[in-house]
Amino acid sequence: MSAHTGDQAPSNGSLASSSSHSGNGSSHVDDNAQSLLYLETLYEQYQKSPDTLSLEWREYFEQLDEESKQDAGQTLRPQRKPFSIFNPPSMSEGGLRRPQRMEVAGRQERLDQLIRNYRVRGHILSEIDPLGKKRGNPPELKPEFYGFTEEDMDRRFSTSWMGGPEVRTLRQIVQWLKTTYCRSIGVQFMHIDSLRVRQWLQTRMETTGNRIKLTRDEQVRILKRLSNAVLFEQFVQKKFIGEKSFSLEGAESLIPLLDMAIEKAGNEGTKEIVIGMAHRGRLNVLANILHKSYRQIFREFVDADPELHIGRGDVKYHLGYSSDWTTSKGNNVHLSLCFNPSHLEFINPVAQGRMRAKMDRFRDFKHKNGLVVLIHGDAAFIGEGVTQETLNMSELKGYSVGGTLHVVVNNQIGFTTTSEQGRSCTYATDIAKMLQVPIFHVNGEDPEAVAQAVNLAMDFRNTYSRDVVIDMYCLRRHGHNESDEPEFTQPLMYKDIKEHPTVFESYFDQLIRMRGITREEGEEIVEQRRLVLEDELKAAKQDSYIRCLEDYGGYWYGYNGGSVSEADTVETKVHMDELSRVMNVLTDYPEGFSPHRKLVRLLEQRREMGRGEKELDWAAAELLAFGTIIASGRPFRMTGQDVERGTFSQRHAVLHDVQDGTLHSPLKQLAAKDGLVELHNSPLSEIGVLGFEYGYSLDFPEGLVIWEAQFGDFCNAAQVIIDQFIASTEDKWERLSGLVMMLPHGFEGQGPEHSSGRLERFLMLAAEDNIQIVNLTTPAQHFHCLRRQAYRKWKKPLIMMTPKSLLRHPKCTSDIGELVQGEFHPVLDDTTITDPQTVTRILLCSGKIYYDLLNAREEQERSDVAIVRLEELYPLPYVKLQEVFARYPAGTEVRWVQEEPENMGASRFLKAHFGQSFFDEYPFRSIERHASASPATGSKKSHMLEQNSLMEAAFAKY
């Protein structure tokens, strides 16, 4: 076996380079471990059946046996090396002549290289394109490249290590390699580092020719699934002319592929399957895999119930669905097809987060009882960066789901963009080579090859708990949508497509030729399905049709969304004894554990805080919130970049032993025996990780699920997840989420990149009480807000603008009594004002700038100015704010003060809601930086000048 590991074969001049000669004239057949193993295999074969070997090898091993017998008959043979297959005899010792031995070994070495290159490069010759496009003929896949002649083609070689016959001619070997690697399945797997994994795949493929033997029943089942898929698309096109459906036509093999995957998974113990896919083929999958009723789908085409969707919902080919599947062996599997916007690949991490939540719920920590199936388009799979982020998370401890089945529906075009314009690599799936997993390229118009690919892919995933990729080459019969004209941009491709039969027709003809089915049986299958579709359409058009409305059930029973007026009130205070107990656990560590010396003092300070001897800082209050939630039995999950320590070295939720690097997580010590506590530093990812946590929150309503950005502006890179999923989760997708986003926010002269959590973007998305947005000012407020989020049945995503400099600000502290007796306050009045009637101005603010205003007021000794904090920006607490303002004289001027430029922050949001005055009694103006294209200056001194200007304007007497 050659030691060459690249995709290109070595030149002819290096073919025998692995043979070496020692100084005493002895010859090593090959210093490569694979070749030595091969020689051992040959010798075993010689011992069992010598006639199956070539004359040269028989003579070689006969000489070996003779020399061994001579050695056994002597007690001492001075000046002689033991003879073995790894140390062949020298010319002076008899046996085969050295040139003979070198010739035999050289031929085997060249054959090894040929075989290896079929494993590496055979996919280039594979017939995977339904339109018959050839992709080259690599010279390293030709026997003559290795010096073999036509005379050599009938020379026999040992092939016991390939499986099948133990001896084959070179001609038979090449044909078997082509059958295995160059027919309707092309495989990329030699990039996998593990020899064990590669050999597992080689054995599975080379012993079967990469084919699966199907029974007649299995073939008929495939034919029925193809019939269902093809007829559904044709029926929709005929009955709803001009309607967009993003048809599956040309890729109908996806339906039997999914059918086989679900059947196999269910029969092997899988209980839950989560499917994520874009819009192409979604209606077909809904109808023929999820078994959403045809009449309901047709009713959506008819669009007979517009009053049900005013201002909400999405188009039919974006919607999700769930159902139960019973396998042929009677096993039940729950299927969930995730909703998905037109941002094609962004559902990937969401689907995986949902599955991780399901697995955690059922304590499936080995990740064996669930399966994620992600269906991709070829252009999107290689084109969108979220694909890489999702693949990278696949084997990380905090994000693993035991391997995902990726199915690429490869139309060979993206809208109007060809592969030559859309990628810089050979395959759309080349991004998946970053993982140690196989990639199966399969011709989608060979259903039995698809069956083999699915069967092998599922077995690989089950064996190694890794992702696996099926790249199903097919075609797109129409344009990007049914009203699009593809011949404008791809005239030659669509000339071929017009003349191309459906996969159902070609497979039907194949089964007839093989006598697997009669024409009458096939026509009966088609006719029965057509009658069903006609009946369902009639039912959908009936005025008496009753739409089946989904309600929150299962895990979500008892939870609600809707208006904030429907929100429940929960108690968030905690008894002093419990706070002290929790803090003691949070600051304790095992005997013999050695934290960093600086942390020893920090932990002691926190113990003092827990006893009420010292004011609570932000991090301590936060950990008490987490700890008391966990101690009450609630699941807890928090991820993000550097969340264990905290970006600003404030949290230290996971301690590291400085002597041996072992870890200690105090939060986990507070959980019950089977309690769920997860705290993970995430990869450097925003889209992927935030999508994952959003998905997790969809299946764990009773838990506290948190994503923390390293800096607030990092949410910029996750805006699609925020816009398309989080902000619209209830309105568009009819799903609730209690996800918490923590975004460090505040202008401290660190430049534009580390100042703003983009508060204005969230406020712009705020409507219909869809999200909660807070910018808090005290540790106690943070404590109560987190606990309220964990315990409320009213579930909405919570956006928290969290502090940076306030983490250690001497005034940003809370007495522990506020945790014992207090609650969350959406508005904080100025308790330092003893006589509200003397107030001439109210400064309204939110977040960190409160402390700048407080310092400025003290410096100016202004007792006529009240500073009121709007802690919850959305839903706007109108009643609470009005109650606070009512303490002050009518007509008192209100100045909204913010650090952000005028076009950012909350300034425009408040003006839009209140106009020129609050409640028509308190004149309103705003103090902010000038409108800017960038959040903040990069100069520390410029920042201070701007900040001073804000303070001057806030307190100016005009």
Side-chain angles (χ1 to χ4, degrees):
M1 178 72 70
S2 168
H4 179 62
T5 58
D7 269 5
Q8 299 293 328
S11 65
N12 282 326
S14 65
L15 291 179
S17 60
S18 61
S19 297
S20 60
H21 312 286
S22 63
N24 63 7
S26 65
S27 169
H28 293 284
V29 175
D30 191 349
D31 62 2
N32 183 285
Q34 289 290 328
S35 292
L36 298 182
L37 179 61
Y38 170 70
L39 286 175
E40 281 189 313
T41 303
L42 283 183
Y43 185 60
E44 290 176 2
Q45 182 179 338
Y46 163 76
Q47 291 177 315
K48 294 177 182 177
S49 181
D51 292 340
T52 61
L53 296 183
S54 64
L55 176 62
E56 294 94 332
W57 281 114
R58 288 204 306 272
E59 291 177 348
Y60 179 84
F61 291 126
E62 286 169 1
Q63 180 65 29
L64 183 151
D65 286 348
E66 182 62 30
E67 292 291 330
S68 297
K69 291 176 183 178
Q70 292 176 14
D71 286 347
Q74 300 183 38
T75 57
L76 180 64
R77 291 178 63 93
Q79 305 300 319
R80 184 177 178 87
K81 289 186 177 181
F83 175 66
S84 74
I85 60 174
F86 304 125
N87 183 29
S90 66
M91 286 190 295
S92 63
E93 295 169 337
L96 290 175
R97 289 177 293 107
R98 181 172 177 180
Q100 285 180 298
R101 295 197 307 275
M102 290 297 297
E103 183 180 355
V104 171
R107 276 199 298 268
Q108 188 62 51
E109 170 70 9
R110 287 179 281 143
L111 176 62
D112 289 347
Q113 292 182 3
L114 173 62
I115 292 170
R116 185 183 191 283
N117 277 309
Y118 263 95
R119 291 167 177 164
V120 174
R121 304 277 286 163
H123 57 87
I124 298 295
L125 284 181
S126 60
E127 299 169 351
I128 57 176
D129 186 352
L131 297 176
K133 183 179 178 181
K134 300 297 182 183
R135 297 176 301 131
N137 190 5
E140 62 269 32
L141 300 184
K142 299 176 181 179
E144 54 266 31
F145 182 81
Y146 304 92
F148 289 115
T149 65
E150 181 59 31
E151 180 183 345
D152 293 319
M153 295 304 290
D154 294 314
R155 189 184 297 276
R156 292 191 302 167
F157 293 83
S158 173
T159 56
S160 59
W161 45 275
M162 286 181 64
E166 294 189 344
V167 173
R168 280 176 261 195
T169 65
L170 178 58
R171 192 183 311 279
Q172 290 170 329
I173 292 170
V174 171
Q175 184 56 48
W176 191 248
L177 290 170
K178 288 182 177 179
T179 296
T180 302
Y181 295 113
C182 306
R183 288 179 68 250
S184 296
I185 302 177
V187 190
Q188 290 179 286
F189 70 103
M190 292 296 281
H191 58 278
I192 298 173
D193 291 335
S194 170
L195 174 63
R196 175 175 59 89
V197 175
R198 294 200 309 272
Q199 288 180 336
W200 185 92
L201 287 162
Q202 287 167 197
T203 299
R204 287 294 304 270
M205 294 185 290
E206 292 176 6
T207 56
T208 62
N210 220 0
R211 300 185 185 187
I212 189 171
K213 292 182 179 179
L214 298 175
T215 65
R216 181 184 184 279
D217 288 345
E218 289 170 332
Q219 291 174 326
V220 171
R221 183 180 178 108
I222 289 174
L223 187 68
K224 287 182 176 179
R225 299 300 178 265
L226 289 172
S227 170
N228 294 348
V230 170
L231 289 173
F232 175 82
E233 298 294 356
Q234 292 176 349
F235 189 84
V236 168
Q237 292 299 311
K238 181 180 178 181
K239 300 297 183 179
F240 304 102
I241 298 171
E243 286 282 343
K244 291 181 181 180
S245 66
F246 292 93
S247 152
L248 190 62
E249 289 181 88
E252 292 94 342
S253 286
L254 177 65
I255 300 304
L257 185 157
L258 293 175
D259 176 77
M260 288 181 280
I262 294 167
E263 278 287 305
K264 187 172 180 63
N267 288 331
E268 292 175 352
T270 296
K271 303 299 182 186
E272 292 267 0
I273 296 179
V274 173
I275 304 172
M277 68 179 299
H279 45 278
R280 182 160 312 285
R282 174 178 287 264
L283 292 178
N284 210 312
V285 171
L286 282 167
N288 293 313
I289 296 298
L290 277 293
H291 299 128
K292 181 176 180 178
S293 73
Y294 290 122
R295 69 183 64 182
Q296 189 171 341
I297 294 173
F298 296 156
R299 184 78 171 182
E300 290 165 1
F301 272 105
V302 174
D303 204 6
D305 308 295
E307 68 282 354
L308 297 177
H309 307 286
I310 294 175
R312 60 189 300 116
D314 205 327
V315 291
K316 49 191 166 292
Y317 40 78
H318 287 173
L319 300 178
Y321 196 74
S322 62
S323 63
D324 293 312
W325 178 293
T326 301
T327 71
S328 57
K329 293 184 179 180
N331 298 326
N332 293 322
V333 185
H334 185 69
L335 305 181
S336 300
L337 175 64
C338 297
F339 45 81
N340 194 39
S342 287
H343 295 75
L344 308 176
E345 297 292 316
F346 288 83
I347 194 61
N348 299 348
V350 176
Q352 293 191 330
R354 289 195 64 188
M355 178 52 69
R356 177 59 178 259
K358 292 174 185 289
M359 289 175 165
D360 285 355
R361 174 178 295 283
F362 295 109
R363 307 307 191 261
D364 177 20
F365 300 127
K366 293 185 178 180
H367 306 144
K368 294 295 185 182
N369 296 327
L371 169 66
V372 177
V373 179
L374 295 179
I375 304 168
H376 315 268
D378 50 313
F381 191 75
I382 189 62
E384 296 190 353
V386 67
T387 303
Q388 182 275 334
E389 293 192 22
T390 307
L391 292 172
N392 183 55
M393 293 192 297
S394 66
E395 293 184 44
L396 300 180
K397 181 181 178 182
Y399 307 92
S400 172
V401 292
T404 293
L405 175 62
H406 298 271
V407 180
V408 178
V409 178
N410 194 331
N411 298 312
Q412 307 182 70
I413 191 170
F415 208 148
T416 65
T417 304
T418 62
S419 59
E420 291 80 8
Q421 296 172 306
R423 62 177 185 262
S424 298
C425 48
T426 303
Y427 294 107
T429 53
D430 280 351
I431 185 67
K433 290 174 72 176
M434 65 183 280
L435 299 181
Q436 301 287 297
V437 303
I439 302 167
F440 300 98
H441 307 282
V442 60
N443 190 323
E445 299 213 348
D446 184 343
E448 297 195 10
V450 172
Q452 164 66 5
V454 173
N455 187 63
L456 184 51
M458 292 292 290
D459 284 348
F460 176 85
R461 176 194 173 271
N462 291 343
T463 301
Y464 295 106
S465 298
R466 300 182 190 176
D467 285 21
V468 63
V469 181
I470 298 176
D471 180 16
M472 190 182 77
Y473 269 67
C474 49
L475 52 91
R476 189 186 69 192
R477 194 161 291 277
H478 303 286
H480 176 65
N481 58 61
E482 288 67 30
S483 61
D484 187 43
E485 177 49 76
E487 291 192 53
F488 288 158
T489 51
Q490 275 77 37
L492 298 182
M493 173 186 279
Y494 276 86
K495 180 181 179 181
D496 292 339
I497 289 175
K498 278 185 176 180
E499 300 170 357
H500 204 74
T502 68
V503 62
F504 170 78
E505 292 169 335
S506 59
Y507 189 54
F508 185 20
D509 290 342
Q510 177 186 334
L511 291 185
I512 291 174
R513 290 194 303 272
M514 295 170 59
R515 298 184 179 180
I517 193 172
T518 66
R519 183 166 298 278
E520 290 74 21
E521 287 175 307
E523 291 174 350
E524 177 65 17
I525 290 172
V526 171
E527 183 59 24
Q528 286 180 358
R529 181 56 53 171
R530 184 177 289 113
L531 290 174
V532 169
L533 293 172
E534 290 286 359
D535 289 343
E536 290 290 293
L537 178 59
K538 289 177 183 177
K541 292 181 176 180
Q542 296 296 319
D543 292 337
S544 59
Y545 175 85
I546 299 176
R547 181 172 181 261
C548 179
L549 296 174
E550 290 189 68
D551 199 1
Y552 298 120
Y555 315 142
W556 284 95
Y557 180 78
Y559 292 89
N560 68 290
S563 167
V564 68
S565 63
E566 301 175 48
D568 52 323
T569 300
V570 294
E571 189 174 275
T572 58
K573 61 187 180 183
V574 180
H575 195 277
M576 182 65 193
D577 291 342
E578 177 63 4
L579 290 173
S580 297
R581 184 189 75 83
V582 168
M583 185 61 88
N584 285 337
V585 175
L586 292 173
T587 55
D588 195 15
Y589 45 86
E591 185 177 351
F593 189 90
S594 302
H596 192 281
R597 58 183 179 81
K598 293 182 179 179
L599 294 184
V600 174
R601 176 56 185 154
L602 173 68
L603 295 175
E604 177 55 38
Q605 290 174 342
R606 287 183 177 172
R607 280 191 286 272
E608 294 172 2
M609 294 177 189
R611 295 191 295 266
E613 299 169 3
K614 187 179 180 68
E615 292 273 285
L616 289 163
D617 61 16
W618 196 279
E622 180 184 85
L623 285 173
L624 280 175
F626 295 165
T628 54
I629 291 168
I630 292 167
S632 70
R634 296 272 172 168
F636 173 83
R637 178 179 169 90
M638 182 178 190
T639 71
Q641 296 151 23
D642 311 300
V643 297
E644 293 179 359
R645 189 203 74 173
T647 297
F648 311 102
S649 196
Q650 85 281 9
R651 183 170 292 125
H652 299 290
V654 176
L655 304 177
H656 295 247
D657 190 302
V658 297
Q659 301 298 325
D660 58 18
T662 57
L663 306 180
H664 174 65
S665 177
L667 285 170
K668 291 186 178 181
Q669 312 310 309
L670 290 163
K673 184 178 180 181
D674 61 345
L676 282 173
V677 178
E678 292 193 79
L679 191 71
H680 300 287
N681 285 341
S682 75
L684 193 63
S685 158
E686 289 81 39
I687 292 173
V689 174
L690 181 57
F692 191 99
E693 302 311 327
Y694 167 71
Y696 195 98
S697 74
L698 294 178
D699 281 82
F700 241 126
E702 72 270 36
L704 184 64
V705 183
I706 303 173
W707 175 73
E708 181 180 60
Q710 191 177 69
F711 285 87
D713 61 284
F714 282 27
C715 71
N716 288 342
Q719 199 63 44
V720 171
I721 302 296
I722 296 166
D723 290 352
Q724 302 297 335
F725 293 107
I726 295 172
S728 58
T729 186
E730 184 178 356
D731 186 70
K732 187 160 64 170
W733 307 123
E734 298 182 1
R735 292 292 184 269
L736 300 179
S737 168
L739 177 69
V740 179
M741 292 177 61
M742 289 185 175
L743 306 176
H745 177 83
F747 286 48
E748 283 120 345
Q750 297 187 56
E753 306 308 313
H754 291 159
S755 294
S756 177
R758 294 295 185 177
L759 174 62
E760 64 281 352
R761 291 184 184 168
F762 294 99
L763 292 172
M764 180 181 69
L765 292 168
E768 300 178 297
D769 296 339
N770 60 328
I771 54 178
Q772 305 164 89
I773 305 171
V774 299
N775 193 12
L776 310 176
T777 57
T778 74
Q781 284 283 86
H782 190 52
F783 173 89
H784 289 295
C785 188
L786 287 169
R787 285 180 54 80
R788 183 183 70 162
Q789 181 71 1
Y791 294 112
R792 273 211 292 200
K793 295 292 186 180
W794 188 74
K795 287 297 179 185
K796 304 281 179 167
L798 171 61
I799 316 302
M800 306 187 85
M801 298 289 142
T802 54
K804 296 176 287 180
S805 62
L806 297 190
L807 295 172
R808 294 176 177 83
H809 195 289
K811 291 183 179 179
C812 186
T813 61
S814 295
D815 186 273
I816 199 168
E818 296 178 63
L819 279 53
V820 176
Q821 298 295 334
E823 61 182 14
F824 177 73
H825 299 281
V827 182
L828 287 177
D829 195 4
D830 193 337
T831 58
T832 66
I833 301 296
T834 56
D835 184 2
Q837 297 306 308
T838 64
V839 168
T840 60
R841 180 178 305 160
I842 301 170
L843 298 181
L844 184 64
C845 66
S846 186
K848 171 246 176 186
I849 200 170
Y850 164 72
Y851 292 94
D852 297 322
L853 294 171
L854 194 62
N855 289 336
R857 186 175 67 176
E858 291 175 356
E859 289 173 359
Q860 297 184 32
E861 298 181 344
R862 295 284 297 274
S863 60
D864 62 327
V865 177
I867 306 175
V868 176
R869 288 166 275 177
L870 184 59
E871 301 278 289
E872 184 172 62
L873 290 154
Y874 194 82
L876 268 169
Y878 289 96
V879 174
K880 294 291 184 183
L881 193 60
Q882 192 169 22
E883 288 176 356
V884 169
F885 281 3
R887 293 183 61 232
Y888 303 99
T892 303
E893 181 190 34
V894 177
R895 294 185 180 180
W896 167 256
V897 187
Q898 66 176 38
E899 295 185 295
E900 300 90 344
E902 185 273 336
N903 57 318
M904 301 176 193
S907 179
R908 293 185 178 181
F909 172 79
L910 292 174
K911 290 173 183 175
H913 279 271
F914 292 103
Q916 299 300 311
S917 67
F918 282 95
F919 311 113
D920 296 324
E921 290 189 76
Y922 303 91
F924 170 38
R925 60 173 296 197
S926 58
I927 307 294
E928 65 266 303
R929 285 172 166 84
H930 294 296
S932 173
S934 178
T937 176
S939 164
K940 178 76 172 179
K941 291 184 177 179
S942 293
H943 163 75
M944 293 307 300
L945 289 173
E946 292 175 355
Q947 205 74 357
N948 290 337
S949 295
L950 289 178
M951 297 303 104
E952 290 173 4
F955 288 95
K957 295 184 178 181
Y958 55 84

